Amino acid sequence: MKMNRRETLKSLLLAPLAAGAATAGCATGAPVNWTELPREYSYGRTEAERQRDRELFAESYFSEHELVTIAVLCDIILPSDHPNGGALDAGLPDFVEFIVKDRETLKLPVRGGIAWLDSYAVAEFGADFVNIDEPQRLSICDRIAWPDVEDPVLQPGIRFFSLMRDLTLTGYYTTGQGFRDLGYQGNVANVWDGVPAEVLARHGLQYEPEWLAKCVDQSRRNIIATWDDDMNLTS
Amino acid sequence: MSTDDTTYDAIVVGSGAGGGMATWRLAQAGLRVALVEAGPWYDPAHDSQRTQFRYPWESPRRGASTRLRPFGDFNACIGGWELDGEPFTTAEGTDFMWWRARMLGGRTNHWGRISLRFGPLDFKRRDIDGLGDNWPIGYEDVKPYYDKVDKLVGVFGTNEGLPNDPDGFFLPPPKPRLHEMYYIRGARSAGVPVFPARKSILTKRINDERGVCVYCRQCDRACSLHADFSSSTVLIYPAVASGRVDVYTNTMVRKVDTSPDGSATGVSCIDRGNRRELRINGRSVVLAASACSTARILLNSISARHGSGLGNSSGHVGRYLHDSTGASRAAFLPELMDRDVYNEDGVGGMHVYTPWWLEGANLNFARGYHLEIGGGMGMPSYGFGFAANQYKEFLGERVGGYGNGLRDDVRRFYGSRLSIACRGESVPQYGNYCELDPDVVDEWGIPVLRFDYRWTEQEINQARHMQDTMEELLEASGGILLGDKPGPERQYGLTQPGEIIHEVGTTRMGDDPATSVTNRYGQLHDAGNVFVADAGTFVSQADKNPTWTILALAWRTSDYIVEQMQQRNL
């Protein structure tokens, strides 16, 4: 059975991929597809940094089975049935693979976490996590998704699930889909002129007149500053 | 060994705040200047080096920190806590941290732009508490230079008439953000003053060369519009444009060369690109490599005349090394849950702050601290979404889970955090120092520094007070405190020496050559044509960030050099 699954995976991974999409699969379910992330980046790097990133992209750390498990977990944590897309639309498996290679302290917790999950799934349902059916998978997640659960047997799984939730959310909210989901509007040139009046009002707050009088008059921001001898701005 | 044929009027070592200012002022006065920088040329406006206005997905690690960029993948500073091939060591029991930049502009490329003048009391602390030493100069000596720095570089702030936080030639500050309004209300109710922050960010145009702030909150990425202060963008480019400055990048200074009479003749360097030795000749040398690197160069400049290192006849080079104290705390503000989302990036960092307000109060520590306010709806990067719904604990709801409900949690708690960071003054100690480690060299064969530094009861008691203050103010602002309050077992959350990156004092100024390294102009007592223009000359550092004083003193030292040359004393 194990051989079969790996064979299947291999053939799926070797099959021609649609542009910009990555695919892997598990034996009992449909192939798992996700948006493939770029492997080339240019954002003000030094040569040492470029070299480091090249090495990371060239490094192979996860097995195909581990990668599929990551994909399945990410999809459970942030599913794609949402207008702003989910984890797989945001390329989470690629991100998780990269960040785990990049941050040494993540390697063991993720690898060990997957092994714990498989061991638990085999004991409960007779197969690895990705090879049990969806209701079985969700029943395991229901047991390890809540950190207040005190069952000592489940603690490694709870730690792992929390880590995967952190990685999934951070990987999602640092993409365009995540920005849309959050409504983030910054990172653009603009002229800040204070909290919108209706927002201040909703919070029962108002700018103190004396404070406001000292603040920048944005209509004069492009007039070159001059001062009198008493340190008063005169422009 | 190759020797440049030119004999410069001045060789400036290091291109940060002090080196940039010295280079600019000396070139402006007509001197031929060599500026020597250990790292590469840098301009944040060049797309190959620009990190500003990048989205997190432009980085495969979404802005996470790396060993090469410890403050995050988009931070402008090339350098960090560890440099390949350039170790330093620490004495038993010392946890010193040392951030070194290797780039044009040095650490001014990513600093917080918090620009605070020292006040009259800050130069005379021994008179007040009997600890440490007074500076040989006072506020009145530095004030004219602060005034000139304000106008040349640009700083926003407000004139409040405070006794020890002097007024200046300020640009107008930006309006507070929403979480800052909560802080203002909280601080007012607790009887703690709060004022607009003071930062060298151009909220208003100061010349035709530099841009005006476009409120992206990314000063730590260095501004491609040159609308904040970096030594490179504000001082070095104009100096180079004068045609009187040669910049030696990727060039690491090994030592200052001296003649048999003890005066400097130039510097010996290594070209980091080809590992070739290089000698640069000059009539004067201005060291501005940062307090510790300048001390290292001096200690390595051993000659028959200067047997214990240049400028070290007093044995004081490396002594009185001190950094700011620091501690921080954060809270969850339920009133900021489910908030309206709009662009509130603002300038880099805080719009409001609290200067030290308890001068003269009866406390169990000597010196003060100020409060820096953080929070708001920042741009997500690596780490955003971690423990996404942990605040549900405070609402009596269950933390954890999976599925689309997490999206609601993330939006619900976005921007609901308020934090305070304290930055305080430590008491300089003769016993806190750096020296050469006789057993270790870096990859260029230059002996490295060994640090020996411990906090005293003064700083630990101050940190305890910081923790109480932060709790009080965060709660007064409507916050629910996060994390545990650190106790004595963790020195009340006191940062490690060096961690705040305000290290100063290794070549302190003084009128007595037996207890100081330079005179009141930054001129070595032991070699009249060698000057220090970084924070090494600080006798004490105040609870203010050091950059504005570095700039003012470097200008003052440069004026003195010009004057001495005009009088043919150099």
Side-chain angles (χ1 to χ4, degrees):
Chain A
M1 165 134 185
K2 210 162 201 176
M3 278 303 293
N4 286 344
R5 192 188 76 245
R6 292 199 62 86
E7 292 286 293
T8 310
L9 267 172
K10 204 171 171 186
S11 66
L12 278 165
L13 285 167
L14 289 175
L17 298 176
T23 306
C26 39
T28 60
V32 186
N33 298 290
W34 65 87
T35 304
E36 199 171 6
L37 296 180
R39 297 169 71 86
E40 300 278 341
Y41 292 82
S42 174
Y43 57 110
R45 295 303 83 188
T46 64
E47 185 46 44
E49 288 171 318
R50 276 192 288 273
Q51 179 62 27
R52 161 100 179 130
D53 286 356
R54 274 195 296 269
E55 287 167 10
L56 286 171
F57 277 114
E59 179 188 344
S60 176
Y61 178 71
F62 287 121
S63 69
E64 293 152 352
H65 170 68
E66 288 170 329
L67 205 53
V68 172
T69 308
I70 288 167
V72 169
L73 273 171
C74 289
D75 186 41
I76 290 169
I77 291 166
L78 216 51
S80 294
D81 59 350
H82 189 276
N84 292 325
L88 297 181
D89 305 300
L92 252 299
D94 287 0
F95 168 71
V96 171
E97 187 198 11
F98 181 88
I99 202 72
V100 168
K101 289 191 291 189
D102 188 39
R103 300 176 87 73
E104 195 64 37
T105 54
L106 293 177
K107 282 186 170 175
L108 204 54
V110 174
R111 169 156 290 164
I114 292 169
W116 182 94
L117 193 63
D118 280 339
S119 144
Y120 188 82
V122 167
E124 291 286 308
F125 301 110
D128 288 343
F129 185 73
V130 295
N131 289 309
I132 56 180
D133 62 30
E134 195 182 355
Q136 291 170 329
R137 283 201 285 263
L138 295 183
S139 85
I140 293 179
C141 290
D142 288 336
R143 294 173 224 182
I144 61 176
W146 307 96
D148 60 358
V149 170
E150 288 176 1
D151 183 346
V153 172
L154 293 173
Q155 293 310 308
I158 290 170
R159 298 279 180 286
F160 173 57
F161 196 89
S162 293
L163 173 60
M164 288 307 300
R165 183 172 47 231
D166 283 352
L167 292 176
T168 302
L169 289 176
T170 211
Y172 176 77
Y173 281 101
T174 50
T175 63
Q177 291 99 318
F179 271 34
R180 271 197 300 284
D181 199 84
L182 189 64
Y184 176 72
Q185 295 169 27
N187 196 34
V188 292
N190 75 104
V191 177
W192 165 259
D193 203 20
V195 182
E198 66 277 14
V199 175
L200 271 184
R202 244 191 307 282
H203 286 265
L205 294 164
Q206 52 186 337
Y207 285 123
E208 299 165 0
E210 311 79 47
W211 190 301
L212 213 50
K214 298 171 186 168
C215 290
V216 60
D217 175 353
Q218 295 293 15
S219 71
R220 303 178 70 77
R221 60 193 248 105
N222 274 307
I223 301 170
I224 290 181
T226 53
W227 298 265
D228 65 19
D229 291 343
D230 294 326
M231 297 177 159
N232 299 305
L233 186 72
T234 53
S235 60
Chain B
M1 159 97 66
S2 67
T3 303
D4 199 297
D5 293 336
T6 313
T7 295
Y8 294 95
D9 296 318
I11 301 168
V12 177
V13 180
S15 65
M21 177 55 82
T23 300
W24 176 83
R25 174 61 189 131
L26 296 175
Q28 188 202 38
L31 272 58
R32 281 280 289 152
V33 180
L35 173 61
V36 189
E37 164 54 47
W41 184 268
Y42 178 75
D43 186 348
H46 288 172
D47 209 50
S48 65
Q49 295 183 305
R50 177 181 62 84
T51 57
Q52 188 192 24
F53 288 124
R54 302 282 188 193
Y55 285 100
W57 55 87
E58 294 184 66
S59 150
R61 58 181 64 74
R62 312 291 167 82
S65 66
T66 69
R67 201 175 56 79
L68 299 170
R69 303 250 182 184
F71 287 167
D73 217 16
F74 294 111
N75 188 267
C77 194
I78 301 168
W81 301 116
E82 304 165 42
L83 300 182
D84 286 335
E86 299 183 44
F88 62 89
T89 63
T90 51
E92 183 80 25
T94 291
D95 290 318
F96 192 79
M97 296 175 74
W98 189 21
W99 184 289
R100 289 168 288 173
R102 290 287 179 263
M103 64 193 305
L104 193 75
R107 297 182 289 192
T108 65
N109 288 297
H110 78 144
W111 67 304
R113 271 75 179 184
I114 299 170
S115 304
L116 306 174
R117 296 180 179 210
F118 285 17
L121 303 178
D122 295 323
F123 292 94
K124 305 294 173 191
R125 283 288 167 195
R126 184 180 179 82
D127 287 348
I128 299 164
D129 57 32
L131 300 170
D133 285 292
N134 291 335
W135 289 60
I137 56 176
Y139 179 68
E140 63 284 2
D141 296 300
V142 190
K143 179 186 182 297
Y145 289 96
Y146 281 135
D147 289 351
K148 291 200 279 191
V149 170
D150 286 357
K151 290 176 179 173
L152 176 75
V153 174
V155 51
F156 74 69
T158 51
N159 290 333
E160 304 289 349
L162 301 170
N164 198 41
D165 299 274
D167 293 345
F169 289 89
F170 288 121
L171 303 170
K175 293 174 188 169
R177 306 182 183 92
L178 188 58
H179 66 277
E180 293 164 334
M181 293 297 287
Y182 276 93
Y183 174 77
I184 292 170
R185 192 171 70 177
R188 294 256 190 271
S189 73
V192 171
V194 50
F195 299 104
R198 299 175 176 185
K199 297 191 133 204
S200 55
I201 297 167
L202 304 187
T203 51
K204 188 174 173 67
R205 187 171 290 283
I206 62 162
N207 59 35
D208 291 326
E209 286 72 47
R210 294 172 59 198
V212 183
C213 181
V214 291
Y215 301 96
C216 72
R217 201 190 250 216
Q218 295 169 27
C219 295
D220 62 329
R221 300 186 183 193
C223 186
S224 58
L225 299 161
H226 300 172
D228 58 10
F229 173 68
S230 292
S231 173
S232 47
T233 56
V234 177
L235 299 170
I236 297 172
Y237 305 157
V240 169
S242 76
R244 290 187 286 277
V245 177
D246 291 336
V247 182
Y248 292 77
T249 53
N250 292 310
T251 303
M252 183 103 167
V253 171
R254 202 178 275 293
K255 62 187 176 75
V256 178
D257 299 313
T258 50
S259 64
D261 77 356
S263 61
T265 58
V267 294
S268 290
C269 325
I270 183 158
D271 181 325
R272 292 159 62 103
N274 58 22
R275 302 191 67 90
R276 288 223 184 101
E277 293 293 317
L278 172 70
R279 208 191 115 76
I280 305 171
N281 296 314
R283 293 166 58 204
S284 65
V285 174
V286 181
L287 296 172
S290 82
C292 297
S293 287
T294 287
R296 181 185 177 202
I297 292 169
L298 288 171
L299 292 170
N300 274 314
S301 302
I302 297 167
S303 63
R305 178 68 181 266
H306 304 288
S308 58
L310 180 57
N312 196 30
S313 62
S314 63
H316 273 56
V317 172
R319 294 281 170 182
Y320 295 103
L321 167 63
H322 58 295
D323 183 28
S324 294
T325 56
S328 55
R329 193 82 196 270
F332 159 54
L333 254 63
E335 290 174 275
L336 287 178
M337 277 194 305
D338 291 312
R339 55 184 297 190
D340 301 278
V341 177
Y342 50 90
N343 181 353
E344 71 159 9
D345 282 348
V347 305
M350 64 194 184
H351 291 189
V352 310
Y353 90 123
T354 291
W356 180 235
W357 68 103
L358 293 173
E359 186 68 48
N362 184 23
L363 302 164
N364 66 344
F365 58 96
R367 312 276 168 95
Y369 58 88
H370 72 257
L371 309 179
E372 304 177 0
I373 312 310
M377 298 184 287
M379 178 160 56
S381 67
Y382 182 77
F384 181 94
F386 281 16
N389 56 19
Q390 63 171 334
Y391 300 161
K392 281 178 138 181
E393 175 193 343
F394 305 118
L395 308 174
E397 297 174 26
R398 205 173 181 201
V399 173
Y402 60 89
N404 284 327
L406 291 172
R407 299 172 193 270
D408 300 329
D409 295 339
V410 168
R411 279 192 296 262
R412 186 179 185 193
F413 298 116
Y414 178 46
S416 63
R417 192 169 177 275
L418 178 69
S419 62
I420 299 177
C422 300
R423 296 288 180 266
E425 177 175 6
S426 62
V427 180
Q429 306 289 329
Y430 179 81
N432 286 339
Y433 62 99
C434 56
E435 62 182 347
L436 294 183
D437 185 329
D439 299 325
V440 184
V441 295
D442 67 13
E443 69 162 303
W444 319 108
I446 307 171
V448 309
L449 287 180
R450 178 170 59 201
F451 293 90
D452 195 328
Y453 191 134
R454 287 165 195 80
W455 292 124
T456 70
E457 284 301 307
Q458 296 287 347
E459 291 80 35
I460 294 165
N461 288 340
Q462 188 193 60
R464 180 180 193 167
H465 194 271
M466 289 173 173
Q467 293 293 346
D468 292 342
T469 297
M470 291 188 289
E471 277 198 351
E472 182 189 357
L473 290 177
L474 289 169
E475 288 185 330
S477 305
I480 298 171
L481 295 163
L482 299 172
D484 297 326
K485 185 180 190 179
E489 74 293 344
R490 284 192 281 152
Q491 294 191 332
Y492 303 99
L494 180 58
T495 46
Q496 287 175 230
E499 188 174 352
I500 304 299
I501 320 181
H502 291 168
E503 66 280 3
V504 308
T506 53
T507 56
R508 68 177 194 169
M509 61 166 65
D511 290 336
D512 182 356
T515 59
S516 60
V517 176
T518 79
N519 67 11
R520 51 177 67 196
Y521 295 100
Q523 182 180 33
L524 292 193
H525 291 303
D526 296 349
N529 65 344
V530 180
F531 300 83
V532 177
D534 57 33
T537 61
F538 286 28
V539 177
S540 60
Q541 82 178 84
D543 56 72
K544 320 282 168 62
N545 307 49
T547 304
W548 224 241
T549 303
I550 295 173
L551 289 169
L553 292 179
W555 195 329
R556 185 168 179 270
T557 292
S558 302
D559 276 2
Y560 180 76
I561 293 171
V562 171
E563 188 185 294
Q564 293 297 304
M565 284 191 173
Q566 282 165 350
Q567 294 172 8
R568 306 208 176 277
N569 292 332
L570 282 179

